[in-house]
Amino acid sequence: MSQTTTMSPLALLGGTPAIQSDAGDLFSWPIITEADEQAVLDVLRRGAMSGFDITDKFEKEFAEWQGSRYALAHSSGTSSLQAAMFGCKIGIGDEIIGPSITYWASVAPAFTLGATVNFADIDPMTLCIDPNDIEHRINDRTKAIVVVHYCGHPCDMDPIMDIARRHNLKVIEDVSHAQGGIYKGKKLGTIGDVAGISLMTGKPLAIGEGGMLITDDLEIYERALAWGFYRRFDDSVQTSYLKPYAHLPLGGYKYRMHQLSAAVGRAQLNVYDERMAEIQKAVNYFWDLLEGVPGIRAHRVAKDSGSTMGGWYNARGHFVSEEVGGLSVTTFIDALKAEGVTGVRPGTNIPLHLHPLFNTADVYGHGKPTRIANIDDDIRQPKGSLPHSERTGEAAYSIPWFKHYRPAQIEAYADAFKKVTQNYEQLLPHDKGNPEVIGTWGLTAL
Ligand SMILES: *Cc1c(COP(=O)(O)O)cnc(C)c1O
């Protein structure tokens, strides 16, 4: 870092912004080329938008890419997660255990099945479900653990799978933030019993609106087919108890993927590994530059762990306020923005256990809150019950989500971060602290 940058006053206090040049397409996503356009035009011109010839191919390619036996293309990530829950036989009066720091669709579909959720706390470093906060929540009603590889970071799957196997629970992976990521050599989505994966346009693997269910388990696959795929739920199903019901969807849903999305999906998947590798290189370079800077910690896997971050969906950083005089994350972010840093926001998802949907809403007219409608215990979790989840607002923030490895540009962003943290003392007298709630219910900025 150059002396002049250190000495120049912070832009928030009237100095010159550290970043002077336009970001260009550094953050633009998805990258659309002629291959995407041709694939879409082909479907459009054939009038095959509701067909499934292209979707069939996409499923086969996706399953092969994941290394899973089955892939079932859905209309959304949300529907793929609901189908995964139905696939795992989650029903009336059952419970799932899942993280509170996630997008609602990881867990809320349990309500539609008459089930409910018991939230576990997160590990403050991975921002993923804490394996040590799961087991004591298991009871006779518990059927599954939902894990979310949050903002690209793989969950610690070994202890989670161990708990699940000992208690005969299913594990549902929500891979909506980490497509292509790896945990100890294994592709995310292939470690649990089934995975639901959002492929909507805000996500790393961005195809339009769509989702993918992947599994190696024939029964889960066929239950998902039976749930929302009336055309494909036919006499060929092998699960005998499903056979009498063929041809009409058990769920009453129609979940097949729009073929325009499938067409974009094939084109995007074709280049995804290459583009993800560039994102890996870019974001890791950014964090390498900031190694050891007070107040700043990377949210990433250790280099020798055999794990990777996938597409770094909405990449995050940890903010260590104690190392910068107790500065608030809010003022830290305001100072970064003034320096010309885009894409930074304080917090993560707001913890779901604090939302009225999980406390007071009576969605289906049971005469009591849906959260506890089909069970005898009150498992609602008040403020204060999940301390790490409730602290992410002030302890984490989004960093610029680099899509290209352009060292000079990335260095300028890292310099802006250093400029703010090195001059934190100038900010302290102006720091108004954090608002009571930090973060957003959803992360995707469209
Ligand atoms: C986006 C997202 C979903 C839902 O996917 P949609 O395609 O938007 O329905 C589910 N889980 C997580 C963690 C997500 O970020």
Coordinates of all heavy atoms in Angstrom, one line a residue, residues 75-81 101-107 147-151 174-177 179 196-203 208-212 313 349 442-444, ligand 1:
S75 N -39.0 -25.8 -11.6 CA -39.3 -24.4 -11.9 C -38.6 -23.4 -11.1 O -38.4 -22.2 -11.5 CB -40.8 -24.2 -11.8 OG -41.2 -24.5 -10.5
S76 N -38.1 -23.8 -9.9 CA -37.4 -22.9 -9.0 C -36.6 -23.7 -8.0 O -36.8 -24.9 -7.8 CB -38.4 -21.9 -8.3 OG -39.1 -22.7 -7.3
G77 N -35.7 -23.0 -7.4 CA -35.0 -23.7 -6.3 C -35.9 -24.0 -5.1 O -35.8 -25.1 -4.5
T78 N -36.9 -23.1 -4.9 CA -37.9 -23.3 -3.8 C -38.6 -24.6 -4.1 O -38.8 -25.4 -3.1 CB -38.8 -22.1 -3.8 OG1 -38.1 -20.9 -3.6 CG2 -39.8 -22.3 -2.6
S79 N -39.1 -24.8 -5.3 CA -39.9 -26.0 -5.6 C -39.0 -27.3 -5.4 O -39.4 -28.3 -5.0 CB -40.6 -26.0 -6.9 OG -39.7 -25.8 -8.0
S80 N -37.7 -27.2 -5.8 CA -36.8 -28.3 -5.7 C -36.6 -28.7 -4.2 O -36.5 -29.9 -3.9 CB -35.5 -28.1 -6.4 OG -34.7 -27.2 -5.7
L81 N -36.6 -27.7 -3.4 CA -36.4 -27.9 -2.0 C -37.6 -28.5 -1.3 O -37.6 -29.4 -0.5 CB -36.0 -26.7 -1.2 CG -34.5 -26.3 -1.5 CD1 -34.3 -24.8 -1.3 CD2 -33.6 -27.1 -0.6
I101 N -29.9 -18.6 9.6 CA -29.3 -17.6 8.7 C -29.3 -18.3 7.3 O -28.4 -19.1 7.0 CB -27.8 -17.3 9.1 CG1 -27.8 -16.5 10.5 CG2 -27.1 -16.4 8.1 CD1 -28.5 -15.1 10.4
T102 N -30.3 -18.0 6.6 CA -30.4 -18.5 5.2 C -31.6 -17.8 4.6 O -32.3 -17.0 5.2 CB -30.6 -20.0 5.2 OG1 -30.7 -20.5 3.8 CG2 -31.9 -20.5 5.8
Y103 N -31.8 -18.0 3.3 CA -33.0 -17.6 2.6 C -34.2 -18.5 3.1 O -34.0 -19.7 3.2 CB -32.7 -17.7 1.1 CG -33.8 -17.2 0.2 CD1 -34.2 -15.8 0.2 CD2 -34.5 -18.1 -0.6 CE1 -35.2 -15.4 -0.7 CE2 -35.6 -17.7 -1.4 CZ -35.9 -16.3 -1.5 OH -36.9 -15.9 -2.3
W104 N -35.3 -17.9 3.2 CA -36.5 -18.7 3.8 C -36.8 -20.0 3.1 O -37.2 -20.9 3.7 CB -37.7 -17.8 3.8 CG -38.1 -17.2 2.4 CD1 -37.8 -15.9 2.0 CD2 -38.8 -17.8 1.4 NE1 -38.3 -15.7 0.7 CE2 -38.9 -16.9 0.3 CE3 -39.4 -19.1 1.2 CZ2 -39.6 -17.2 -0.9 CZ3 -40.0 -19.4 0.0 CH2 -40.1 -18.4 -1.0
A105 N -36.5 -20.1 1.8 CA -36.9 -21.3 1.0 C -36.1 -22.5 1.5 O -36.5 -23.7 1.1 CB -36.7 -21.1 -0.5
S106 N -35.1 -22.4 2.2 CA -34.3 -23.6 2.7 C -35.2 -24.3 3.7 O -35.1 -25.6 3.8 CB -33.1 -23.1 3.5 OG -32.3 -22.3 2.8
V107 N -36.1 -23.7 4.4 CA -36.9 -24.3 5.5 C -38.4 -24.1 5.4 O -39.2 -25.0 5.8 CB -36.4 -23.9 6.9 CG1 -35.0 -24.3 7.1 CG2 -36.5 -22.4 7.0
V147 N -29.1 -28.5 5.4 CA -27.8 -27.7 5.5 C -27.8 -26.7 4.3 O -28.2 -27.1 3.3 CB -26.6 -28.6 5.6 CG1 -26.6 -29.6 6.7 CG2 -26.3 -29.3 4.3
V148 N -27.2 -25.6 4.6 CA -27.1 -24.6 3.5 C -25.6 -24.2 3.4 O -25.0 -23.7 4.4 CB -27.9 -23.3 3.8 CG1 -27.8 -22.3 2.7 CG2 -29.3 -23.6 4.1
H149 N -25.0 -24.4 2.3 CA -23.6 -24.0 2.1 C -23.5 -22.5 1.9 O -23.6 -22.0 0.7 CB -23.0 -24.8 1.0 CG -23.1 -26.3 1.1 ND1 -22.5 -27.0 2.2 CD2 -23.9 -27.2 0.5 CE1 -22.9 -28.3 2.1 NE2 -23.7 -28.4 1.1
Y150 N -23.5 -21.8 3.0 CA -23.9 -20.4 3.0 C -22.8 -19.5 2.3 O -21.6 -19.5 2.7 CB -24.1 -19.9 4.4 CG -24.8 -18.6 4.5 CD1 -26.2 -18.5 4.2 CD2 -24.2 -17.4 4.9 CE1 -26.8 -17.3 4.3 CE2 -24.8 -16.2 5.0 CZ -26.2 -16.2 4.7 OH -26.8 -15.0 4.7
C151 N -23.3 -18.7 1.4 CA -22.4 -17.7 0.6 C -21.2 -18.5 0.1 O -20.1 -17.9 0.1 CB -22.1 -16.5 1.5 SG -23.5 -15.4 1.8
D174 N -29.0 -27.7 0.7 CA -29.4 -26.5 -0.1 C -28.1 -25.9 -0.7 O -27.3 -25.3 0.0 CB -30.1 -25.5 0.8 CG -30.6 -24.3 0.0 OD1 -30.1 -24.1 -1.2 OD2 -31.5 -23.6 0.5
V175 N -27.9 -26.2 -2.0 CA -26.7 -25.7 -2.7 C -26.9 -24.5 -3.5 O -26.2 -24.2 -4.5 CB -26.1 -26.9 -3.5 CG1 -24.6 -26.7 -3.9 CG2 -26.2 -28.2 -2.8
S176 N -27.9 -23.7 -3.1 CA -28.2 -22.5 -3.9 C -27.1 -21.4 -3.9 O -27.1 -20.5 -4.7 CB -29.5 -21.9 -3.4 OG -30.5 -22.8 -3.4
H177 N -26.2 -21.5 -2.9 CA -25.1 -20.5 -2.8 C -23.7 -21.0 -3.3 O -22.8 -20.3 -3.2 CB -24.9 -20.0 -1.4 CG -26.1 -19.2 -0.8 ND1 -26.0 -18.6 0.4 CD2 -27.3 -18.9 -1.3 CE1 -27.1 -17.9 0.6 NE2 -27.9 -18.1 -0.4
Q179 N -22.9 -23.7 -6.0 CA -22.9 -24.6 -7.1 C -21.4 -24.9 -7.5 O -20.6 -24.0 -7.8 CB -23.6 -24.1 -8.3 CG -25.1 -23.8 -8.0 CD -25.4 -22.5 -7.4 OE1 -24.5 -21.8 -6.9 NE2 -26.7 -22.1 -7.4
G196 N -31.4 -29.6 -3.1 CA -32.2 -28.7 -3.9 C -31.2 -27.5 -4.2 O -30.5 -27.0 -3.3
I197 N -31.3 -27.1 -5.4 CA -30.3 -26.1 -5.9 C -31.0 -25.0 -6.7 O -31.6 -25.3 -7.7 CB -29.3 -26.7 -6.8 CG1 -28.7 -28.0 -6.1 CG2 -28.2 -25.7 -7.2 CD1 -27.8 -28.8 -7.1
S198 N -31.0 -23.8 -6.2 CA -31.5 -22.7 -7.0 C -30.6 -22.3 -8.2 O -29.4 -22.3 -8.0 CB -31.7 -21.4 -6.2 OG -32.1 -20.3 -7.0
L199 N -31.2 -22.1 -9.3 CA -30.4 -21.7 -10.5 C -30.9 -20.4 -11.0 O -30.7 -20.0 -12.2 CB -30.4 -22.8 -11.6 CG -30.0 -24.2 -11.2 CD1 -30.2 -25.2 -12.3 CD2 -28.5 -24.2 -10.8
M200 N -31.6 -19.6 -10.2 CA -32.2 -18.3 -10.6 C -31.0 -17.3 -10.9 O -29.9 -17.6 -10.5 CB -33.2 -17.7 -9.7 CG -32.8 -17.5 -8.3 SD -31.9 -16.0 -8.0 CE -33.2 -14.7 -8.2
T201 N -31.4 -16.3 -11.6 CA -30.3 -15.4 -12.2 C -29.4 -14.7 -11.2 O -28.3 -14.3 -11.6 CB -31.0 -14.4 -13.2 OG1 -31.8 -15.2 -14.1 CG2 -30.0 -13.6 -14.0
G202 N -29.8 -14.6 -10.0 CA -28.9 -14.0 -9.0 C -27.8 -14.9 -8.5 O -26.9 -14.5 -7.8
K203 N -27.9 -16.2 -8.8 CA -27.1 -17.2 -8.2 C -25.8 -17.4 -9.1 O -25.8 -17.0 -10.3 CB -27.9 -18.5 -8.0 CG -29.1 -18.3 -7.1 CD -28.8 -18.0 -5.7 CE -29.9 -17.4 -4.9 NZ -31.0 -18.2 -4.7
G208 N -31.9 -18.3 -15.4 CA -33.2 -17.7 -15.5 C -33.9 -18.0 -14.2 O -33.4 -17.7 -13.2
E209 N -35.2 -18.5 -14.3 CA -35.8 -19.0 -13.0 C -35.7 -20.6 -13.2 O -36.0 -21.1 -14.2 CB -37.2 -18.6 -12.9 CG -37.4 -17.1 -12.6 CD -36.9 -16.7 -11.2 OE1 -36.7 -17.5 -10.3 OE2 -36.6 -15.5 -11.1
G210 N -35.2 -21.2 -12.1 CA -35.1 -22.7 -12.2 C -34.4 -23.2 -11.0 O -33.8 -22.5 -10.2
G211 N -34.6 -24.5 -10.8 CA -33.9 -25.2 -9.7 C -33.6 -26.6 -10.1 O -34.2 -27.1 -11.1
M212 N -32.8 -27.3 -9.4 CA -32.4 -28.7 -9.7 C -32.5 -29.5 -8.4 O -31.9 -29.1 -7.4 CB -31.1 -28.8 -10.3 CG -30.8 -30.1 -11.0 SD -31.8 -30.4 -12.5 CE -30.9 -29.5 -13.8
Y313 N -21.3 -17.2 -4.0 CA -22.5 -16.4 -4.0 C -22.5 -15.3 -3.0 O -22.3 -15.6 -1.8 CB -23.7 -17.3 -3.8 CG -25.0 -16.6 -3.7 CD1 -25.5 -15.9 -4.8 CD2 -25.7 -16.5 -2.5 CE1 -26.7 -15.2 -4.8 CE2 -26.9 -15.8 -2.4 CZ -27.4 -15.1 -3.6 OH -28.6 -14.4 -3.5
N349 N -28.4 -12.5 5.7 CA -29.8 -12.7 5.9 C -30.1 -12.4 7.4 O -29.4 -12.7 8.2 CB -30.3 -14.1 5.6 CG -30.2 -14.4 4.1 OD1 -29.3 -15.1 3.7 ND2 -31.2 -14.0 3.3
G442 N -33.7 -11.4 2.0 CA -33.1 -12.0 0.8 C -31.8 -11.3 0.5 O -31.6 -10.2 0.9
L443 N -30.9 -12.0 -0.2 CA -29.6 -11.4 -0.5 C -29.4 -10.9 -1.9 O -28.6 -10.1 -2.2 CB -28.4 -12.4 -0.2 CG -28.2 -12.9 1.2 CD1 -27.0 -13.9 1.2 CD2 -28.0 -11.8 2.1
T444 N -30.2 -11.4 -2.8 CA -30.0 -11.1 -4.2 C -30.4 -9.7 -4.6 O -31.6 -9.4 -4.4 CB -30.7 -12.2 -5.1 OG1 -30.3 -13.5 -4.7 CG2 -30.5 -11.9 -6.6
Ligands
LIG1 C1 -32.3 -18.4 -3.8 C2 -32.3 -19.4 -2.7 C3 -33.3 -20.4 -2.7 C4 -34.6 -20.4 -3.5 O1 -34.3 -20.5 -4.9 P1 -35.3 -19.8 -6.0 O2 -34.8 -20.3 -7.2 O3 -35.3 -18.4 -5.8 O4 -36.7 -20.4 -5.7 C5 -33.3 -21.4 -1.7 N1 -32.3 -21.4 -0.8 C6 -31.3 -20.5 -0.8 C7 -30.2 -20.6 0.2 C8 -31.3 -19.4 -1.7 O5 -30.4 -18.5 -1.7

